[in-house]
Amino acid sequence: MSATAERTNTITHFIGGKQKSSTGAREQDVYNPATGKVTGQLQLAGRADIDEAVAVAKTAAESWSQSSLTKRTKILFSLREKLVARTEEMAAVITAEHGKVLDDAKGEIGRALEAVEFACGIVEHLKGEYSSQVSTGIDVYSFREPLGVVAGITPFNFPVMVPMWMAPMAIATGNAFILKPSERDPSAALMLAELWQEAGLPDGVFNVLQGDKEAVDGLLKHEDVDGISFVGSTPIAKYIHETATAHGKRVQALGGAKNHAVVLPDADIDAAAEHLNAAAFGAAGERCMAISVAVAVGEAADELADKLRERANNVVVAEGTHADSDMGPLITPQARDRVKRIIGEAEADGATLVTDGRDLVVKGNEGGFFVGPTLIDHVKTDMSAYKEEIFGPVLVIVRVANLDEAIRVINENPYGNGTGIFTSSGAFARQFQRAVKVGMVGVNIPIPVPVAWHSFGGWNDSLFGDLHVNGPDSMHFYTRNKVVTQRWPEPARASGASFSFPTHD
Ligand code: NAD
């Protein structure tokens, strides 16, 4: 049976090349957030499922780690073609459980494709280093080997892109991979499993373990899991990093964000407002790189606030399948209520509610989890609307006197994922990019997600661990170095052993 055949009903694991029902009885509802209706029952892994997935992956890793780079490359090229061919179908699966608009879902698949394309160059990435004749008759060379079994624990907001920040390079470098997707939108993971299989990947190299904290904890503590890649909120990222390292695993844990965009008076304010509006409200603000704070400098503030208000009022909020929809619903009723609570707190704290999306009703979708675009001006850095990662369609405006103050505000924020500056001055842009303590910076670009052949990652509370995802960092994360020092004694030359530490001659 195909991996996705039953995805609108019971949503299972995918282990060893087959859909696999849970041995336990725990299940959780999956919703279409645009209608509020339950669309599936997700099986949640228990101990036996976790052990089975890890055992299957461990066995698969033994042979996969010995596969030729040519074979891996062929599979990755084939996967790329299959992703392209099934983009529409996969986007529909994403929209049905996440709620984002179809074009945005296709955009995330496009970003996943980039990561596959980077992994297609694995023959180049895995080239080792060689030093000939470091001593007479002795050569030293190094190459990289896979870790073994790697697990990817991913958030709801990019059910295809984030797993594909991990799996292509983990698998290209010779590891077996277990994906633990978000329990909110788990079906896209099964479609990915199906595509890997159709591309020719041996069974057991890519597995899907559905579940919640029990599945995560089982993976973090399992002695046969060697590496953990995590993307999600900051408190969970911290927990993942601490628990996985305590259990001897290599770990990278990307956390939450509060991304600021600085608008200087010399910027094209129309263009800045256009970009900030899309960057704040696209995907209903449920992006780790969404702009959630506009830092308006000096006289830019009034004009920017006006232009943002005009645009926020024109955002079309509708189910993600509607052709004219700019943004869809939030992921759960709890997320919707939390966003509304923070908007209320901002008002009570004395900020100015310029556009209030709390009472929005989407006709025909009254049961959906919608909040409309919300713009809040005169926000201070001690208000909850500034301090919390809202993860909803809310843009706050913080007014500052000059660029130095803008940089100070950004650097005092505990997060450091992405930031941007809008200006027509190269000098101000250069000062900004060198001074901010943030991992990814945009100059006249609101959402500076780098292309997949550059590594992606934040600083401070936005990332725990050393290495970022994608790009060169991913090759290093999923492999370890082996160095060989080699001599082949020639019959005519005695190779004298030494009791002293060897020196070169
Ligand atoms: P989340 O932290 O709630 O969940 C992420 C994953 O962790 C899920 O697979 C979930 O099942 C698991 N999890 C949740 N609670 C857990 C617990 N107590 N113990 C063990 N595992 C647990 O995040 P989310 O709500 O799915 O996603 C949104 C968050 O992800 C936002 O904070 C967003 O900024 C962040 N995010 C960050 C990036 C980045 O690149 N830094 C990218 C995307 C999303």
Side-chain angles (χ1 to χ4, degrees), residues 29-64:
D29 288 340
V30 174
Y31 293 85
N32 178 340
T35 61
K37 292 201 174 115
V38 173
T39 56
Q41 267 77 42
L42 176 69
Q43 299 199 331
L44 302 172
R47 183 77 255 166
D49 306 307
I50 300 162
D51 285 344
E52 185 184 348
V54 176
V56 163
K58 191 182 176 193
T59 304
E62 279 162 21
S63 49
W64 180 246

PDB file of all heavy atoms in Angstrom, residues 29-64:
ATOM      1  N   ASP A  29      -5.942  13.925  17.477  1.00  0.00           N
ATOM      2  CA  ASP A  29      -6.640  14.456  16.304  1.00  0.00           C
ATOM      3  C   ASP A  29      -5.740  15.404  15.520  1.00  0.00           C
ATOM      4  O   ASP A  29      -4.970  16.173  16.099  1.00  0.00           O
ATOM      5  CB  ASP A  29      -7.885  15.244  16.743  1.00  0.00           C
ATOM      6  CG  ASP A  29      -8.983  14.321  17.259  1.00  0.00           C
ATOM      7  OD1 ASP A  29      -8.954  13.117  16.944  1.00  0.00           O
ATOM      8  OD2 ASP A  29      -9.870  14.821  17.994  1.00  0.00           O
ATOM      9  N   VAL A  30      -5.894  15.361  14.200  1.00  0.00           N
ATOM     10  CA  VAL A  30      -5.251  16.332  13.319  1.00  0.00           C
ATOM     11  C   VAL A  30      -6.373  17.151  12.686  1.00  0.00           C
ATOM     12  O   VAL A  30      -7.403  16.595  12.295  1.00  0.00           O
ATOM     13  CB  VAL A  30      -4.405  15.609  12.249  1.00  0.00           C
ATOM     14  CG1 VAL A  30      -3.842  16.598  11.242  1.00  0.00           C
ATOM     15  CG2 VAL A  30      -3.279  14.814  12.916  1.00  0.00           C
ATOM     16  N   TYR A  31      -6.177  18.474  12.596  1.00  0.00           N
ATOM     17  CA  TYR A  31      -7.237  19.381  12.122  1.00  0.00           C
ATOM     18  C   TYR A  31      -6.904  20.008  10.786  1.00  0.00           C
ATOM     19  O   TYR A  31      -5.731  20.171  10.442  1.00  0.00           O
ATOM     20  CB  TYR A  31      -7.411  20.545  13.123  1.00  0.00           C
ATOM     21  CG  TYR A  31      -7.957  20.120  14.455  1.00  0.00           C
ATOM     22  CD1 TYR A  31      -7.121  19.650  15.451  1.00  0.00           C
ATOM     23  CD2 TYR A  31      -9.323  20.208  14.706  1.00  0.00           C
ATOM     24  CE1 TYR A  31      -7.624  19.253  16.685  1.00  0.00           C
ATOM     25  CE2 TYR A  31      -9.839  19.815  15.941  1.00  0.00           C
ATOM     26  CZ  TYR A  31      -8.984  19.337  16.915  1.00  0.00           C
ATOM     27  OH  TYR A  31      -9.484  18.954  18.122  1.00  0.00           O
ATOM     28  N   ASN A  32      -7.947  20.423  10.082  1.00  0.00           N
ATOM     29  CA  ASN A  32      -7.777  21.439   9.048  1.00  0.00           C
ATOM     30  C   ASN A  32      -8.035  22.766   9.754  1.00  0.00           C
ATOM     31  O   ASN A  32      -9.172  23.067  10.130  1.00  0.00           O
ATOM     32  CB  ASN A  32      -8.785  21.234   7.918  1.00  0.00           C
ATOM     33  CG  ASN A  32      -8.646  22.317   6.852  1.00  0.00           C
ATOM     34  OD1 ASN A  32      -8.088  23.376   7.106  1.00  0.00           O
ATOM     35  ND2 ASN A  32      -9.149  22.043   5.668  1.00  0.00           N
ATOM     36  N   PRO A  33      -6.999  23.588   9.961  1.00  0.00           N
ATOM     37  CA  PRO A  33      -7.188  24.802  10.772  1.00  0.00           C
ATOM     38  C   PRO A  33      -8.078  25.843  10.107  1.00  0.00           C
ATOM     39  O   PRO A  33      -8.544  26.767  10.773  1.00  0.00           O
ATOM     40  CB  PRO A  33      -5.768  25.343  10.963  1.00  0.00           C
ATOM     41  CG  PRO A  33      -4.876  24.540  10.110  1.00  0.00           C
ATOM     42  CD  PRO A  33      -5.609  23.394   9.518  1.00  0.00           C
ATOM     43  N   ALA A  34      -8.325  25.699   8.803  1.00  0.00           N
ATOM     44  CA  ALA A  34      -9.194  26.669   8.130  1.00  0.00           C
ATOM     45  C   ALA A  34     -10.666  26.377   8.370  1.00  0.00           C
ATOM     46  O   ALA A  34     -11.519  27.254   8.229  1.00  0.00           O
ATOM     47  CB  ALA A  34      -8.904  26.660   6.624  1.00  0.00           C
ATOM     48  N   THR A  35     -10.970  25.135   8.738  1.00  0.00           N
ATOM     49  CA  THR A  35     -12.376  24.787   8.989  1.00  0.00           C
ATOM     50  C   THR A  35     -12.605  24.423  10.459  1.00  0.00           C
ATOM     51  O   THR A  35     -13.739  24.422  10.937  1.00  0.00           O
ATOM     52  CB  THR A  35     -12.784  23.561   8.141  1.00  0.00           C
ATOM     53  OG1 THR A  35     -11.952  22.457   8.525  1.00  0.00           O
ATOM     54  CG2 THR A  35     -12.632  23.822   6.655  1.00  0.00           C
ATOM     55  N   GLY A  36     -11.533  24.063  11.133  1.00  0.00           N
ATOM     56  CA  GLY A  36     -11.657  23.603  12.515  1.00  0.00           C
ATOM     57  C   GLY A  36     -12.101  22.161  12.615  1.00  0.00           C
ATOM     58  O   GLY A  36     -12.355  21.650  13.710  1.00  0.00           O
ATOM     59  N   LYS A  37     -12.172  21.478  11.449  1.00  0.00           N
ATOM     60  CA  LYS A  37     -12.658  20.093  11.476  1.00  0.00           C
ATOM     61  C   LYS A  37     -11.501  19.105  11.610  1.00  0.00           C
ATOM     62  O   LYS A  37     -10.401  19.333  11.079  1.00  0.00           O
ATOM     63  CB  LYS A  37     -13.404  19.788  10.174  1.00  0.00           C
ATOM     64  CG  LYS A  37     -14.694  20.569  10.061  1.00  0.00           C
ATOM     65  CD  LYS A  37     -15.644  19.898   9.079  1.00  0.00           C
ATOM     66  CE  LYS A  37     -16.973  20.638   9.101  1.00  0.00           C
ATOM     67  NZ  LYS A  37     -17.300  21.299   7.858  1.00  0.00           N
ATOM     68  N   VAL A  38     -11.784  17.997  12.292  1.00  0.00           N
ATOM     69  CA  VAL A  38     -10.788  16.926  12.429  1.00  0.00           C
ATOM     70  C   VAL A  38     -10.695  16.183  11.098  1.00  0.00           C
ATOM     71  O   VAL A  38     -11.704  15.803  10.509  1.00  0.00           O
ATOM     72  CB  VAL A  38     -11.206  15.948  13.553  1.00  0.00           C
ATOM     73  CG1 VAL A  38     -10.270  14.741  13.592  1.00  0.00           C
ATOM     74  CG2 VAL A  38     -11.202  16.659  14.902  1.00  0.00           C
ATOM     75  N   THR A  39      -9.457  15.985  10.623  1.00  0.00           N
ATOM     76  CA  THR A  39      -9.276  15.316   9.331  1.00  0.00           C
ATOM     77  C   THR A  39      -8.529  13.996   9.456  1.00  0.00           C
ATOM     78  O   THR A  39      -8.420  13.251   8.492  1.00  0.00           O
ATOM     79  CB  THR A  39      -8.496  16.210   8.354  1.00  0.00           C
ATOM     80  OG1 THR A  39      -7.257  16.572   8.976  1.00  0.00           O
ATOM     81  CG2 THR A  39      -9.273  17.449   7.997  1.00  0.00           C
ATOM     82  N   GLY A  40      -7.960  13.731  10.610  1.00  0.00           N
ATOM     83  CA  GLY A  40      -7.217  12.484  10.752  1.00  0.00           C
ATOM     84  C   GLY A  40      -6.913  12.181  12.205  1.00  0.00           C
ATOM     85  O   GLY A  40      -7.028  13.052  13.073  1.00  0.00           O
ATOM     86  N   GLN A  41      -6.567  10.916  12.416  1.00  0.00           N
ATOM     87  CA  GLN A  41      -6.119  10.503  13.757  1.00  0.00           C
ATOM     88  C   GLN A  41      -4.664  10.083  13.638  1.00  0.00           C
ATOM     89  O   GLN A  41      -4.340   9.181  12.855  1.00  0.00           O
ATOM     90  CB  GLN A  41      -6.916   9.306  14.292  1.00  0.00           C
ATOM     91  CG  GLN A  41      -8.108   9.704  15.131  1.00  0.00           C
ATOM     92  CD  GLN A  41      -9.238  10.178  14.276  1.00  0.00           C
ATOM     93  OE1 GLN A  41      -9.507   9.586  13.251  1.00  0.00           O
ATOM     94  NE2 GLN A  41      -9.894  11.263  14.673  1.00  0.00           N
ATOM     95  N   LEU A  42      -3.844  10.762  14.404  1.00  0.00           N
ATOM     96  CA  LEU A  42      -2.412  10.484  14.362  1.00  0.00           C
ATOM     97  C   LEU A  42      -2.050   9.477  15.438  1.00  0.00           C
ATOM     98  O   LEU A  42      -2.398   9.662  16.608  1.00  0.00           O
ATOM     99  CB  LEU A  42      -1.637  11.790  14.605  1.00  0.00           C
ATOM    100  CG  LEU A  42      -0.125  11.650  14.698  1.00  0.00           C
ATOM    101  CD1 LEU A  42       0.462  11.292  13.335  1.00  0.00           C
ATOM    102  CD2 LEU A  42       0.493  12.951  15.208  1.00  0.00           C
ATOM    103  N   GLN A  43      -1.326   8.433  15.038  1.00  0.00           N
ATOM    104  CA  GLN A  43      -0.858   7.471  16.035  1.00  0.00           C
ATOM    105  C   GLN A  43       0.412   8.010  16.685  1.00  0.00           C
ATOM    106  O   GLN A  43       1.323   8.475  15.984  1.00  0.00           O
ATOM    107  CB  GLN A  43      -0.577   6.139  15.351  1.00  0.00           C
ATOM    108  CG  GLN A  43      -1.836   5.579  14.699  1.00  0.00           C
ATOM    109  CD  GLN A  43      -1.734   4.106  14.434  1.00  0.00           C
ATOM    110  OE1 GLN A  43      -0.658   3.567  14.221  1.00  0.00           O
ATOM    111  NE2 GLN A  43      -2.874   3.429  14.439  1.00  0.00           N
ATOM    112  N   LEU A  44       0.465   7.943  17.989  1.00  0.00           N
ATOM    113  CA  LEU A  44       1.614   8.489  18.725  1.00  0.00           C
ATOM    114  C   LEU A  44       2.513   7.340  19.175  1.00  0.00           C
ATOM    115  O   LEU A  44       2.050   6.398  19.823  1.00  0.00           O
ATOM    116  CB  LEU A  44       1.129   9.279  19.943  1.00  0.00           C
ATOM    117  CG  LEU A  44       0.167  10.439  19.633  1.00  0.00           C
ATOM    118  CD1 LEU A  44      -0.393  11.026  20.915  1.00  0.00           C
ATOM    119  CD2 LEU A  44       0.871  11.518  18.819  1.00  0.00           C
ATOM    120  N   ALA A  45       3.793   7.437  18.846  1.00  0.00           N
ATOM    121  CA  ALA A  45       4.721   6.332  19.127  1.00  0.00           C
ATOM    122  C   ALA A  45       4.870   6.085  20.620  1.00  0.00           C
ATOM    123  O   ALA A  45       4.914   7.017  21.425  1.00  0.00           O
ATOM    124  CB  ALA A  45       6.086   6.647  18.531  1.00  0.00           C
ATOM    125  N   GLY A  46       4.963   4.814  20.955  1.00  0.00           N
ATOM    126  CA  GLY A  46       5.341   4.399  22.305  1.00  0.00           C
ATOM    127  C   GLY A  46       6.692   3.705  22.241  1.00  0.00           C
ATOM    128  O   GLY A  46       7.334   3.646  21.179  1.00  0.00           O
ATOM    129  N   ARG A  47       7.097   3.156  23.376  1.00  0.00           N
ATOM    130  CA  ARG A  47       8.430   2.563  23.503  1.00  0.00           C
ATOM    131  C   ARG A  47       8.761   1.560  22.390  1.00  0.00           C
ATOM    132  O   ARG A  47       9.822   1.603  21.759  1.00  0.00           O
ATOM    133  CB  ARG A  47       8.498   1.879  24.876  1.00  0.00           C
ATOM    134  CG  ARG A  47       9.798   1.257  25.275  1.00  0.00           C
ATOM    135  CD  ARG A  47      10.814   2.292  25.727  1.00  0.00           C
ATOM    136  NE  ARG A  47      11.821   2.506  24.723  1.00  0.00           N
ATOM    137  CZ  ARG A  47      12.667   3.528  24.725  1.00  0.00           C
ATOM    138  NH1 ARG A  47      12.614   4.446  25.648  1.00  0.00           N
ATOM    139  NH2 ARG A  47      13.580   3.646  23.809  1.00  0.00           N
ATOM    140  N   ALA A  48       7.804   0.640  22.114  1.00  0.00           N
ATOM    141  CA  ALA A  48       8.089  -0.418  21.138  1.00  0.00           C
ATOM    142  C   ALA A  48       8.291   0.162  19.742  1.00  0.00           C
ATOM    143  O   ALA A  48       9.157  -0.298  18.981  1.00  0.00           O
ATOM    144  CB  ALA A  48       6.946  -1.439  21.120  1.00  0.00           C
ATOM    145  N   ASP A  49       7.510   1.206  19.390  1.00  0.00           N
ATOM    146  CA  ASP A  49       7.665   1.831  18.061  1.00  0.00           C
ATOM    147  C   ASP A  49       9.026   2.521  17.950  1.00  0.00           C
ATOM    148  O   ASP A  49       9.690   2.451  16.914  1.00  0.00           O
ATOM    149  CB  ASP A  49       6.564   2.882  17.834  1.00  0.00           C
ATOM    150  CG  ASP A  49       5.176   2.307  18.053  1.00  0.00           C
ATOM    151  OD1 ASP A  49       4.866   1.278  17.438  1.00  0.00           O
ATOM    152  OD2 ASP A  49       4.418   2.881  18.863  1.00  0.00           O
ATOM    153  N   ILE A  50       9.405   3.191  19.023  1.00  0.00           N
ATOM    154  CA  ILE A  50      10.694   3.904  19.014  1.00  0.00           C
ATOM    155  C   ILE A  50      11.826   2.894  18.838  1.00  0.00           C
ATOM    156  O   ILE A  50      12.715   3.062  17.986  1.00  0.00           O
ATOM    157  CB  ILE A  50      10.885   4.696  20.338  1.00  0.00           C
ATOM    158  CG1 ILE A  50       9.774   5.725  20.502  1.00  0.00           C
ATOM    159  CG2 ILE A  50      12.255   5.360  20.388  1.00  0.00           C
ATOM    160  CD1 ILE A  50       9.606   6.258  21.916  1.00  0.00           C
ATOM    161  N   ASP A  51      11.775   1.830  19.634  1.00  0.00           N
ATOM    162  CA  ASP A  51      12.838   0.818  19.556  1.00  0.00           C
ATOM    163  C   ASP A  51      12.900   0.197  18.166  1.00  0.00           C
ATOM    164  O   ASP A  51      13.982  -0.041  17.624  1.00  0.00           O
ATOM    165  CB  ASP A  51      12.613  -0.274  20.605  1.00  0.00           C
ATOM    166  CG  ASP A  51      12.980   0.213  22.001  1.00  0.00           C
ATOM    167  OD1 ASP A  51      13.677   1.242  22.102  1.00  0.00           O
ATOM    168  OD2 ASP A  51      12.554  -0.431  22.986  1.00  0.00           O
ATOM    169  N   GLU A  52      11.727  -0.043  17.588  1.00  0.00           N
ATOM    170  CA  GLU A  52      11.713  -0.668  16.256  1.00  0.00           C
ATOM    171  C   GLU A  52      12.322   0.284  15.209  1.00  0.00           C
ATOM    172  O   GLU A  52      13.150  -0.129  14.392  1.00  0.00           O
ATOM    173  CB  GLU A  52      10.278  -1.041  15.868  1.00  0.00           C
ATOM    174  CG  GLU A  52      10.254  -1.794  14.551  1.00  0.00           C
ATOM    175  CD  GLU A  52       8.847  -2.107  14.061  1.00  0.00           C
ATOM    176  OE1 GLU A  52       7.881  -1.948  14.832  1.00  0.00           O
ATOM    177  OE2 GLU A  52       8.735  -2.506  12.882  1.00  0.00           O
ATOM    178  N   ALA A  53      11.911   1.554  15.262  1.00  0.00           N
ATOM    179  CA  ALA A  53      12.435   2.516  14.276  1.00  0.00           C
ATOM    180  C   ALA A  53      13.953   2.630  14.390  1.00  0.00           C
ATOM    181  O   ALA A  53      14.671   2.649  13.378  1.00  0.00           O
ATOM    182  CB  ALA A  53      11.779   3.885  14.483  1.00  0.00           C
ATOM    183  N   VAL A  54      14.447   2.692  15.613  1.00  0.00           N
ATOM    184  CA  VAL A  54      15.892   2.854  15.792  1.00  0.00           C
ATOM    185  C   VAL A  54      16.628   1.582  15.356  1.00  0.00           C
ATOM    186  O   VAL A  54      17.670   1.658  14.681  1.00  0.00           O
ATOM    187  CB  VAL A  54      16.225   3.221  17.264  1.00  0.00           C
ATOM    188  CG1 VAL A  54      17.735   3.286  17.469  1.00  0.00           C
ATOM    189  CG2 VAL A  54      15.591   4.552  17.642  1.00  0.00           C
ATOM    190  N   ALA A  55      16.080   0.422  15.679  1.00  0.00           N
ATOM    191  CA  ALA A  55      16.755  -0.841  15.295  1.00  0.00           C
ATOM    192  C   ALA A  55      16.802  -0.963  13.768  1.00  0.00           C
ATOM    193  O   ALA A  55      17.847  -1.334  13.195  1.00  0.00           O
ATOM    194  CB  ALA A  55      16.015  -2.032  15.904  1.00  0.00           C
ATOM    195  N   VAL A  56      15.691  -0.629  13.116  1.00  0.00           N
ATOM    196  CA  VAL A  56      15.650  -0.693  11.640  1.00  0.00           C
ATOM    197  C   VAL A  56      16.665   0.286  11.047  1.00  0.00           C
ATOM    198  O   VAL A  56      17.418  -0.043  10.118  1.00  0.00           O
ATOM    199  CB  VAL A  56      14.213  -0.390  11.152  1.00  0.00           C
ATOM    200  CG1 VAL A  56      14.184  -0.034   9.683  1.00  0.00           C
ATOM    201  CG2 VAL A  56      13.302  -1.574  11.435  1.00  0.00           C
ATOM    202  N   ALA A  57      16.694   1.492  11.592  1.00  0.00           N
ATOM    203  CA  ALA A  57      17.616   2.513  11.071  1.00  0.00           C
ATOM    204  C   ALA A  57      19.068   2.091  11.307  1.00  0.00           C
ATOM    205  O   ALA A  57      19.936   2.285  10.446  1.00  0.00           O
ATOM    206  CB  ALA A  57      17.337   3.860  11.734  1.00  0.00           C
ATOM    207  N   LYS A  58      19.325   1.471  12.444  1.00  0.00           N
ATOM    208  CA  LYS A  58      20.706   1.069  12.754  1.00  0.00           C
ATOM    209  C   LYS A  58      21.188   0.023  11.735  1.00  0.00           C
ATOM    210  O   LYS A  58      22.304   0.100  11.217  1.00  0.00           O
ATOM    211  CB  LYS A  58      20.765   0.514  14.174  1.00  0.00           C
ATOM    212  CG  LYS A  58      22.186   0.338  14.654  1.00  0.00           C
ATOM    213  CD  LYS A  58      22.257  -0.244  16.027  1.00  0.00           C
ATOM    214  CE  LYS A  58      23.721  -0.477  16.392  1.00  0.00           C
ATOM    215  NZ  LYS A  58      23.864  -1.314  17.572  1.00  0.00           N
ATOM    216  N   THR A  59      20.337  -0.944  11.462  1.00  0.00           N
ATOM    217  CA  THR A  59      20.711  -1.981  10.486  1.00  0.00           C
ATOM    218  C   THR A  59      20.900  -1.353   9.104  1.00  0.00           C
ATOM    219  O   THR A  59      21.868  -1.649   8.400  1.00  0.00           O
ATOM    220  CB  THR A  59      19.601  -3.063  10.421  1.00  0.00           C
ATOM    221  OG1 THR A  59      19.413  -3.547  11.742  1.00  0.00           O
ATOM    222  CG2 THR A  59      19.972  -4.194   9.500  1.00  0.00           C
ATOM    223  N   ALA A  60      19.978  -0.471   8.731  1.00  0.00           N
ATOM    224  CA  ALA A  60      20.071   0.159   7.403  1.00  0.00           C
ATOM    225  C   ALA A  60      21.341   1.003   7.293  1.00  0.00           C
ATOM    226  O   ALA A  60      21.974   1.047   6.231  1.00  0.00           O
ATOM    227  CB  ALA A  60      18.836   1.020   7.153  1.00  0.00           C
ATOM    228  N   ALA A  61      21.707   1.664   8.389  1.00  0.00           N
ATOM    229  CA  ALA A  61      22.890   2.534   8.346  1.00  0.00           C
ATOM    230  C   ALA A  61      24.158   1.738   8.059  1.00  0.00           C
ATOM    231  O   ALA A  61      25.079   2.235   7.405  1.00  0.00           O
ATOM    232  CB  ALA A  61      23.029   3.290   9.666  1.00  0.00           C
ATOM    233  N   GLU A  62      24.188   0.501   8.530  1.00  0.00           N
ATOM    234  CA  GLU A  62      25.408  -0.297   8.317  1.00  0.00           C
ATOM    235  C   GLU A  62      25.678  -0.485   6.827  1.00  0.00           C
ATOM    236  O   GLU A  62      26.805  -0.283   6.363  1.00  0.00           O
ATOM    237  CB  GLU A  62      25.288  -1.655   9.024  1.00  0.00           C
ATOM    238  CG  GLU A  62      25.599  -1.527  10.509  1.00  0.00           C
ATOM    239  CD  GLU A  62      25.087  -2.690  11.337  1.00  0.00           C
ATOM    240  OE1 GLU A  62      24.854  -3.777  10.764  1.00  0.00           O
ATOM    241  OE2 GLU A  62      24.907  -2.489  12.560  1.00  0.00           O
ATOM    242  N   SER A  63      24.665  -0.856   6.060  1.00  0.00           N
ATOM    243  CA  SER A  63      24.919  -1.045   4.625  1.00  0.00           C
ATOM    244  C   SER A  63      24.920   0.288   3.869  1.00  0.00           C
ATOM    245  O   SER A  63      25.724   0.502   2.965  1.00  0.00           O
ATOM    246  CB  SER A  63      23.918  -2.025   4.014  1.00  0.00           C
ATOM    247  OG  SER A  63      22.627  -1.652   4.390  1.00  0.00           O
ATOM    248  N   TRP A  64      24.043   1.210   4.273  1.00  0.00           N
ATOM    249  CA  TRP A  64      23.978   2.492   3.545  1.00  0.00           C
ATOM    250  C   TRP A  64      25.297   3.260   3.671  1.00  0.00           C
ATOM    251  O   TRP A  64      25.746   3.908   2.728  1.00  0.00           O
ATOM    252  CB  TRP A  64      22.804   3.322   4.070  1.00  0.00           C
ATOM    253  CG  TRP A  64      22.672   4.641   3.387  1.00  0.00           C
ATOM    254  CD1 TRP A  64      22.831   5.878   3.927  1.00  0.00           C
ATOM    255  CD2 TRP A  64      22.356   4.854   1.998  1.00  0.00           C
ATOM    256  NE1 TRP A  64      22.630   6.848   2.979  1.00  0.00           N
ATOM    257  CE2 TRP A  64      22.336   6.251   1.778  1.00  0.00           C
ATOM    258  CE3 TRP A  64      22.097   4.000   0.922  1.00  0.00           C
ATOM    259  CZ2 TRP A  64      22.070   6.812   0.536  1.00  0.00           C
ATOM    260  CZ3 TRP A  64      21.824   4.562  -0.330  1.00  0.00           C
ATOM    261  CH2 TRP A  64      21.820   5.950  -0.507  1.00  0.00           C
TER     262      TRP A  64
END
